[in-house]
Amino acid sequence: MRAGPLALLLAPLIPVVHGIWPFKQKRFMAEALYNAGTLGLPKDAGRVVAIGDVDGDQNSDLFMLSQDRKTLHVMVWNRDAFMYEERDTVTFEHEITNVTPADFNGDGRMDLLVMWSANSGGGFWGNKGKMSTDMEIIMGNEGGLSKGERWSLPPAGLAQPMLFDDDLDLSPSLLGFAETQDGPKIKAWRNTGHAMRLFTPMLKPIDQVCQLTHPPAGAHSSAFIDMDGDCAPDVVLHCGGAKANNRKLQVWLNRGKEGYILSNTWNLPLGSRSISYADMNRNGAMDLVFPTCKRVLPSTGLGEACKIHVAYNNQAGLCNTKTSQYSPSGRIICRGYDELCSADPYFDFQFWENSPEFPTVAIDKLFPGFKLMINVPGHTDVPLPIRPGDFDVDGFPDLLITISDGKKSLVKVLHNVPCGKDVPGCGNFSAKYSRGFQVLGGKGWEALEAIEDAIGASWIDLDDDGSLDIMVHRTGKQDGETVTFIQNNFYHDAFFLKGQVLNGACDRRRCFPVDGGKPYSALGCSISGATFKFTSFDTRGNRHAQNVAQLPQTCYHSLLSPHTFMGLGRTNNYIENLKVGTSLKSDENRVTSLDGVIPNSQVILNPPWSRALRTNETVLYRSKEWRTELFLHPGDWIPWVAAAVVGTVVTLGMVVVWLGEREKREDEKERRRALHAINFQAL
């Protein structure tokens, strides 16, 4: 009976104690993958077409199309509620084919490039007319994208243009083919700050440009990414060949004021499909990952006799010295660990079977009875590339693929592991082969394996917790969900780094409008093509170089995050030397360096604003120099460390007090003995 009044008195204190209690209950307890459901996305909506940061809060927001592709839902992540909330909707008269977030007008807000397929009409004679890719840009607005100003762009050909930097000032331009009186010609949609106008791009020699592939033959995988190791993004074009199943790859090297100079053209293996780019063997060079198939049935999206290939980028490795070493002819032999951005114009790829530089994994051997899904069934304009991502943060990207046996479609993760006996991708195992792949599954993977209607998947870091989760696109036939999130709750004894390079539109990450409006965050303005290149040590003391690109691809639902995720593996040291490169024209400002970066942190870099100032500027303060900010990632162990420190201090304090009291008692006893001795002598 006495407990009742006491409980009533303590009841109001429970929320207060819960609020200040530092040991928060974990959302997921066991080490496993968890089905997190739709996390607030409309259950009957279509596909997620792009990832961005709408409000600049460092979270991954989503752009989701409706089933008819005419409505775009802007879904913003709510960290407190651990779910997405609809912030805005934008409606169109056309079926949207692609969406690309970027800051086009330089006001520090994220804008949206929208593309759709159009037909010029056939006239009276019944021809079908010419197909084109029409485009417009929706400007970011305080009231939402639906209220933003719109730029209308000159149309492109069938192939979607890609983002790149035409005049080397970090303003996003477009590169693609446009119809002219002389037929389709390579063009740059150059960003003037208030419009996108057609110019001849700075590609030399311009007459050597190959034709980009496009649906239904296959979507191209062109990229704006560093290929020769100088940390400046180059132009990589994925082109068609003489026959429908042939493909080519062209690399145009960024040479600053000289423009983009043709380096080489490679014939890709017969039946090659979408290309992804990643440093697969952790040597500081950007490699190619792509499948080959004998044929692909567009209605199902499944390929016959498919194989996964990794084409390693053969270029100068890492020296054990600070400075680079060169041959007598001037060719670079290896890069010094203090000169990571030294160019190697002699880089090369090998595309023949049984080469250690071109390992191959057959899908039917990894998954008997299953085929690789190459594109969304019935939609050749939505390819499903092999998606690299460092699932276990060991520094070696793993691969995310979708397979099907005609009845069920599954998502699988291929773990990037050291070569050994019977490891797929290691050929006849020898010291020449470095990495292979193992299929992850079994205990802890039940949530992913239970999904049997997948039509694509991509990596995403939910809640910015330093681990890559999985976003699965589905048909909805299994349980009605068209998008399901799989939360990665495995513990990996390794470190990571997150990076972001802004465009310099606003100083100190905050934008102050000229008209005196409310300041806003500029963290939604990641640039395309930035390079993170760094060295770190493993626990054995071996130095490794890594290369990670920021937003290198922007066409055909690339689904790349604006925040670059880098696994570091197990290390007991700082990141020794971090180089960050951009496409700036000036050699002085193109690359910046950071030393002693702390693992498990986020680094945000803001380069100097290099565009000419206009009379109608919308922002008060532009960035004038490279500015770097480092944010430590709060770990779950921090409260426990704090508790241990406090406990240790309290314990030591109690010991000191007890020893002090004991010392006082001993001193008192000593004083009394001395007094007793004096009195005895007096007698």
Side-chain angles (χ1 to χ4, degrees):
M1 296 295 292
R2 295 179 179 177
L6 181 61
L8 292 176
L9 290 174
L10 294 178
L13 298 178
I14 293 177
V16 178
V17 174
H18 184 268
I20 63 175
W21 182 248
F23 308 106
K24 304 296 182 182
Q25 184 177 359
K26 290 186 177 181
R27 183 171 284 104
F28 305 111
M29 301 301 293
E31 282 193 49
L33 297 182
Y34 285 86
N35 186 329
T38 61
L39 292 180
L41 298 185
K43 234 187 174 186
D44 58 346
R47 296 182 67 85
V48 174
V49 291
I51 303 174
D53 188 358
V54 177
D55 47 5
D57 63 353
Q58 289 292 284
N59 291 315
S60 296
D61 305 322
L62 304 179
F63 299 92
M64 192 174 191
L65 282 177
S66 59
Q67 293 281 4
D68 62 1
R69 292 188 172 193
K70 293 185 177 181
T71 301
L72 185 68
H73 301 273
V74 181
M75 309 300 298
V76 175
W77 179 254
N78 185 326
R79 184 179 294 239
D80 295 331
F82 196 76
M83 64 182 297
Y84 284 98
E85 297 175 348
E86 187 168 86
R87 174 69 57 87
D88 201 358
T89 57
V90 187
T91 56
F92 303 91
E93 297 178 357
H94 323 279
E95 292 187 13
I96 303 305
T97 56
N98 192 51
V99 169
T100 303
D103 179 16
F104 289 93
N105 61 352
D107 64 352
R109 295 186 191 273
M110 191 206 69
D111 310 315
L112 218 56
L113 170 66
V114 181
M115 302 182 185
W116 63 91
S117 296
N119 192 318
S120 61
F124 295 104
W125 301 104
N127 63 33
K128 296 181 179 179
K130 288 187 176 181
M131 296 297 295
S132 63
T133 301
D134 285 8
M135 302 176 287
E136 70 176 6
I137 297 175
I138 305 174
M139 295 301 155
N141 186 281
E142 185 177 0
L145 287 165
S146 59
K147 300 179 180 179
E149 175 193 356
R150 300 196 181 195
W151 290 358
S152 180
L153 275 63
L158 287 174
Q160 293 181 3
M162 73 171 192
L163 244 60
F164 89 124
D165 190 354
D166 182 53
D167 43 7
L168 305 179
D169 63 355
L170 300 187
S171 58
S173 300
L174 298 175
L175 181 67
F177 281 82
E179 285 292 334
T180 67
Q181 293 180 349
D182 300 324
K185 297 290 184 181
I186 188 73
K187 291 292 181 180
W189 285 254
R190 187 173 297 171
N191 191 337
T192 65
H194 56 271
M196 303 282 278
R197 305 192 184 280
L198 287 178
F199 288 86
T200 299
M202 296 195 303
L203 272 60
K204 303 174 184 178
I206 194 70
D207 59 342
Q208 297 296 312
V209 176
C210 57
Q211 289 281 342
L212 298 178
T213 60
H214 55 76
H220 69 88
S221 305
S222 302
F224 191 47
I225 190 171
D226 174 30
M227 299 303 290
D228 65 343
D230 64 352
C231 298
D234 309 307
V235 171
V236 182
L237 299 182
H238 185 207
C239 302
K243 297 182 179 180
N245 227 15
N246 292 347
R247 300 285 188 274
K248 293 181 179 180
L249 190 76
Q250 275 191 348
V251 175
W252 301 73
L253 298 180
N254 186 333
R255 290 296 177 255
K257 296 178 182 179
E258 299 178 24
Y260 298 93
I261 311 301
L262 180 61
S263 169
N264 207 340
T265 301
W266 292 269
N267 290 316
L268 296 171
L270 189 67
S272 63
R273 301 293 166 175
S274 297
I275 300 175
S276 301
Y277 304 82
D279 182 3
M280 296 299 295
N281 55 353
R282 199 181 182 188
N283 68 346
M286 197 58 64
D287 308 312
L288 311 177
V289 184
F290 59 90
T292 58
C293 305
K294 286 187 176 180
R295 66 185 64 85
V296 176
L297 188 61
S299 60
T300 63
L302 301 180
E304 296 284 345
C306 293
K307 299 178 181 178
I308 294 176
H309 303 272
V310 177
Y312 290 121
N313 189 335
N314 293 315
Q315 60 177 262
L318 187 65
C319 300
N320 291 323
T321 58
K322 275 190 174 184
T323 57
S324 303
Q325 298 179 15
Y326 295 85
S327 68
S329 63
R331 181 170 178 171
I332 188 170
I333 299 174
C334 62
R335 295 185 179 92
Y337 56 81
D338 203 33
E339 299 177 351
L340 293 176
C341 293
S342 301
D344 181 4
Y346 299 100
F347 74 97
D348 194 16
F349 295 99
Q350 297 177 3
F351 294 109
W352 54 82
E353 295 285 346
N354 301 320
S355 169
E357 305 300 328
F358 190 55
T360 300
V361 179
I363 291 295
D364 56 2
K365 290 185 178 180
L366 282 179
F367 310 101
F370 283 81
K371 298 177 181 179
L372 184 65
M373 191 172 289
I374 299 299
N375 59 261
V376 174
H379 295 281
T380 57
D381 61 340
V382 187
L384 300 179
I386 298 169
R387 299 193 184 274
D390 197 352
F391 177 80
D392 57 349
V393 294
D394 64 348
F396 296 92
D398 311 300
L399 303 180
L400 190 65
I401 62 174
T402 306
I403 58 174
S404 176
D405 63 355
K407 297 180 180 178
K408 56 184 179 181
S409 301
L410 310 175
V411 173
K412 293 293 181 179
V413 176
L414 302 183
H415 189 203
N416 188 340
V417 297
C419 266
K421 187 177 181 181
D422 297 328
V423 175
C426 292
N428 297 322
F429 173 56
S430 69
K432 293 182 179 180
Y433 287 84
S434 59
R435 310 294 299 181
F437 297 98
Q438 289 181 339
V439 180
L440 293 179
K443 184 178 180 181
W445 290 78
E446 295 85 357
L448 184 62
E449 293 172 344
I451 297 176
E452 298 182 349
D453 61 345
I455 48 173
S458 58
W459 303 105
I460 186 171
D461 182 10
L462 290 173
D463 208 32
D464 190 31
D465 61 355
S467 63
L468 287 182
D469 309 300
I470 301 174
M471 178 173 63
V472 182
H473 286 100
R474 309 172 62 182
T475 62
K477 294 180 180 179
Q478 187 173 352
D479 56 13
E481 293 184 3
T482 55
V483 176
T484 298
F485 294 93
I486 302 296
Q487 180 85 16
N488 175 9
N489 201 52
F490 284 109
Y491 171 74
H492 303 290
D493 185 16
F495 294 95
F496 70 93
L497 179 70
K498 291 189 76 171
Q500 184 182 14
V501 182
L502 307 178
N503 64 351
C506 303
D507 193 24
R508 299 179 184 274
R509 299 185 291 114
R510 298 290 294 174
C511 298
F512 295 88
V514 171
D515 60 8
K518 183 179 178 181
Y520 52 89
S521 171
L523 292 178
C525 300
S526 300
I527 61 171
S528 177
T531 300
F532 293 88
K533 199 171 186 180
F534 57 93
T535 56
S536 60
F537 290 91
D538 61 21
T539 53
R540 298 179 180 178
N542 299 318
R543 181 185 284 113
H544 297 274
Q546 288 179 242
N547 189 343
V548 185
Q550 175 175 288
L551 296 174
Q553 294 174 287
T554 53
C555 301
Y556 299 104
H557 300 202
S558 59
L559 292 177
L560 298 179
S561 171
H563 313 115
T564 307
F565 184 87
M566 296 161 271
L568 304 178
R570 297 186 64 188
T571 181
N572 51 14
N573 210 335
Y574 297 103
I575 297 174
E576 181 185 30
N577 192 356
L578 173 62
K579 304 282 188 182
V580 180
T582 64
S583 56
L584 282 172
K585 187 180 302 182
S586 168
D587 294 336
E588 180 182 353
N589 290 326
R590 183 180 301 144
V591 179
T592 189
S593 301
L594 292 84
D595 296 325
V597 177
I598 303 172
N600 276 20
S601 62
Q602 181 169 10
V603 58
I604 298 176
L605 302 105
N606 201 18
W609 179 257
S610 60
R611 304 186 215 177
L613 296 178
R614 305 189 301 265
T615 56
N616 58 342
E617 287 287 333
T618 57
V619 178
L620 281 176
Y621 310 110
R622 301 293 192 182
S623 177
K624 296 181 179 180
E625 60 184 0
W626 275 100
R627 185 177 297 276
T628 304
E629 295 180 274
L630 187 71
F631 299 89
L632 294 180
H633 186 274
D636 295 335
W637 44 267
I638 289 179
W640 295 101
V641 172
V645 171
V646 172
T648 302
V649 171
V650 171
T651 302
L652 290 175
M654 294 175 63
V655 171
V656 170
V657 171
W658 177 73
L659 289 175
E661 291 296 326
R662 182 176 178 181
E663 183 68 19
K664 287 181 181 180
R665 288 196 299 269
E666 292 296 328
D667 289 345
E668 182 65 21
K669 289 180 181 180
E670 187 67 24
R671 188 185 67 80
R672 289 181 178 179
R673 281 197 298 269
L675 184 61
H676 180 71
I678 294 173
N679 292 337
F680 181 77
Q681 291 175 1
L683 292 174

